[in-house]
PDB file of all heavy atoms in Angstrom:
ATOM      1  N   PRO R1342      72.294 100.613  93.646  1.00 83.00           N
ATOM      2  CA  PRO R1342      73.087  99.414  93.968  1.00 83.00           C
ATOM      3  C   PRO R1342      72.456  98.568  95.064  1.00 83.00           C
ATOM      4  O   PRO R1342      72.655  97.354  95.101  1.00 83.00           O
ATOM      5  CB  PRO R1342      74.436  99.994  94.417  1.00 83.00           C
ATOM      6  CG  PRO R1342      74.137 101.397  94.827  1.00 83.00           C
ATOM      7  CD  PRO R1342      73.023 101.854  93.951  1.00 83.00           C
ATOM      8  N   PHE R1343      71.687  99.203  95.950  1.00 80.00           N
ATOM      9  CA  PHE R1343      71.082  98.454  97.045  1.00 80.00           C
ATOM     10  C   PHE R1343      70.071  97.424  96.539  1.00 80.00           C
ATOM     11  O   PHE R1343      69.894  96.371  97.151  1.00 80.00           O
ATOM     12  CB  PHE R1343      70.397  99.407  98.029  1.00 80.00           C
ATOM     13  CG  PHE R1343      71.284 100.526  98.502  1.00 80.00           C
ATOM     14  CD1 PHE R1343      70.764 101.775  98.788  1.00 80.00           C
ATOM     15  CD2 PHE R1343      72.647 100.329  98.666  1.00 80.00           C
ATOM     16  CE1 PHE R1343      71.572 102.806  99.226  1.00 80.00           C
ATOM     17  CE2 PHE R1343      73.470 101.350  99.100  1.00 80.00           C
ATOM     18  CZ  PHE R1343      72.933 102.593  99.374  1.00 80.00           C
ATOM     19  N   GLU R1344      69.412  97.734  95.419  1.00 81.00           N
ATOM     20  CA  GLU R1344      68.422  96.809  94.874  1.00 81.00           C
ATOM     21  C   GLU R1344      69.062  95.614  94.187  1.00 81.00           C
ATOM     22  O   GLU R1344      68.400  94.599  93.968  1.00 81.00           O
ATOM     23  CB  GLU R1344      67.530  97.552  93.868  1.00 81.00           C
ATOM     24  CG  GLU R1344      66.689  98.663  94.497  1.00 81.00           C
ATOM     25  CD  GLU R1344      65.883  99.416  93.456  1.00 81.00           C
ATOM     26  OE1 GLU R1344      66.090  99.134  92.244  1.00 81.00           O
ATOM     27  OE2 GLU R1344      65.068 100.275  93.841  1.00 81.00           O
ATOM     28  N   HIS R1345      70.348  95.726  93.848  1.00 79.00           N
ATOM     29  CA  HIS R1345      71.034  94.646  93.134  1.00 79.00           C
ATOM     30  C   HIS R1345      71.890  93.784  94.052  1.00 79.00           C
ATOM     31  O   HIS R1345      72.547  92.851  93.576  1.00 79.00           O
ATOM     32  CB  HIS R1345      71.909  95.239  92.017  1.00 79.00           C
ATOM     33  CG  HIS R1345      71.128  95.900  90.925  1.00 79.00           C
ATOM     34  ND1 HIS R1345      70.676  95.237  89.816  1.00 79.00           N
ATOM     35  CD2 HIS R1345      70.702  97.188  90.789  1.00 79.00           C
ATOM     36  CE1 HIS R1345      70.017  96.068  89.036  1.00 79.00           C
ATOM     37  NE2 HIS R1345      70.021  97.264  89.598  1.00 79.00           N
ATOM     38  N   ARG R1346      71.901  94.102  95.319  1.00 81.00           N
ATOM     39  CA  ARG R1346      72.699  93.306  96.255  1.00 81.00           C
ATOM     40  C   ARG R1346      71.992  91.991  96.564  1.00 81.00           C
ATOM     41  O   ARG R1346      70.783  91.976  96.816  1.00 81.00           O
ATOM     42  CB  ARG R1346      72.943  94.072  97.550  1.00 81.00           C
ATOM     43  CG  ARG R1346      73.837  95.271  97.366  1.00 81.00           C
ATOM     44  CD  ARG R1346      74.138  95.967  98.675  1.00 81.00           C
ATOM     45  NE  ARG R1346      75.042  97.093  98.470  1.00 81.00           N
ATOM     46  CZ  ARG R1346      75.501  97.861  99.440  1.00 81.00           C
ATOM     47  NH1 ARG R1346      75.118  97.640 100.696  1.00 81.00           N
ATOM     48  NH2 ARG R1346      76.323  98.862  99.175  1.00 81.00           N
ATOM     49  N   LYS R1347      72.749  90.919  96.537  1.00 81.00           N
ATOM     50  CA  LYS R1347      72.225  89.615  96.898  1.00 81.00           C
ATOM     51  C   LYS R1347      72.965  89.125  98.130  1.00 81.00           C
ATOM     52  O   LYS R1347      74.059  88.573  98.040  1.00 81.00           O
ATOM     53  CB  LYS R1347      72.377  88.631  95.733  1.00 81.00           C
ATOM     54  CG  LYS R1347      71.418  88.907  94.588  1.00 81.00           C
ATOM     55  CD  LYS R1347      71.361  87.743  93.607  1.00 81.00           C
ATOM     56  CE  LYS R1347      70.292  87.980  92.554  1.00 81.00           C
ATOM     57  NZ  LYS R1347      70.163  86.824  91.628  1.00 81.00           N
ATOM     58  N   VAL R1348      72.378  89.386  99.292  1.00 77.00           N
ATOM     59  CA  VAL R1348      72.952  88.968 100.566  1.00 77.00           C
ATOM     60  C   VAL R1348      72.095  87.851 101.119  1.00 77.00           C
ATOM     61  O   VAL R1348      70.867  87.984 101.219  1.00 77.00           O
ATOM     62  CB  VAL R1348      73.004  90.146 101.563  1.00 77.00           C
ATOM     63  CG1 VAL R1348      73.631  89.706 102.872  1.00 77.00           C
ATOM     64  CG2 VAL R1348      73.790  91.306 100.949  1.00 77.00           C
ATOM     65  N   GLU R1349      72.721  86.745 101.453  1.00 77.00           N
ATOM     66  CA  GLU R1349      71.976  85.559 101.879  1.00 77.00           C
ATOM     67  C   GLU R1349      71.171  85.831 103.148  1.00 77.00           C
ATOM     68  O   GLU R1349      69.996  85.448 103.252  1.00 77.00           O
ATOM     69  CB  GLU R1349      72.946  84.399 102.105  1.00 77.00           C
ATOM     70  CG  GLU R1349      72.248  83.084 102.415  1.00 77.00           C
ATOM     71  CD  GLU R1349      73.225  81.928 102.521  1.00 77.00           C
ATOM     72  OE1 GLU R1349      74.434  82.168 102.306  1.00 77.00           O
ATOM     73  OE2 GLU R1349      72.791  80.811 102.809  1.00 77.00           O
ATOM     74  N   HIS R1350      71.800  86.502 104.114  1.00 77.00           N
ATOM     75  CA  HIS R1350      71.116  86.795 105.370  1.00 77.00           C
ATOM     76  C   HIS R1350      71.326  88.271 105.703  1.00 77.00           C
ATOM     77  O   HIS R1350      72.209  88.623 106.494  1.00 77.00           O
ATOM     78  CB  HIS R1350      71.648  85.918 106.510  1.00 77.00           C
ATOM     79  CG  HIS R1350      71.472  84.441 106.271  1.00 77.00           C
ATOM     80  ND1 HIS R1350      70.235  83.838 106.269  1.00 77.00           N
ATOM     81  CD2 HIS R1350      72.376  83.462 106.002  1.00 77.00           C
ATOM     82  CE1 HIS R1350      70.381  82.541 106.028  1.00 77.00           C
ATOM     83  NE2 HIS R1350      71.668  82.287 105.855  1.00 77.00           N
ATOM     84  N   PRO R1351      70.538  89.167 105.102  1.00 84.00           N
ATOM     85  CA  PRO R1351      70.716  90.599 105.383  1.00 84.00           C
ATOM     86  C   PRO R1351      70.390  90.930 106.830  1.00 84.00           C
ATOM     87  O   PRO R1351      69.521  90.295 107.456  1.00 84.00           O
ATOM     88  CB  PRO R1351      69.723  91.265 104.422  1.00 84.00           C
ATOM     89  CG  PRO R1351      68.699  90.219 104.123  1.00 84.00           C
ATOM     90  CD  PRO R1351      69.430  88.913 104.164  1.00 84.00           C
ATOM     91  N   THR R1352      71.096  91.898 107.356  1.00 83.00           N
ATOM     92  CA  THR R1352      70.930  92.271 108.765  1.00 83.00           C
ATOM     93  C   THR R1352      70.019  93.491 108.888  1.00 83.00           C
ATOM     94  O   THR R1352      70.033  94.390 108.048  1.00 83.00           O
ATOM     95  CB  THR R1352      72.290  92.599 109.406  1.00 83.00           C
ATOM     96  OG1 THR R1352      72.927  93.648 108.647  1.00 83.00           O
ATOM     97  CG2 THR R1352      73.188  91.380 109.422  1.00 83.00           C
ATOM     98  N   SER R1353      69.242  93.507 109.951  1.00 86.00           N
ATOM     99  CA  SER R1353      68.386  94.651 110.238  1.00 86.00           C
ATOM    100  C   SER R1353      69.224  95.788 110.812  1.00 86.00           C
ATOM    101  O   SER R1353      70.415  95.626 111.110  1.00 86.00           O
ATOM    102  CB  SER R1353      67.293  94.251 111.231  1.00 86.00           C
ATOM    103  OG  SER R1353      67.864  93.919 112.488  1.00 86.00           O
TER     104      SER R1353
END
Side-chain angles (χ1 to χ4, degrees):
F1343 308 147
E1344 296 177 354
H1345 294 271
R1346 292 184 178 182
K1347 288 193 174 183
V1348 181
E1349 186 175 358
H1350 300 291
T1352 57
S1353 65

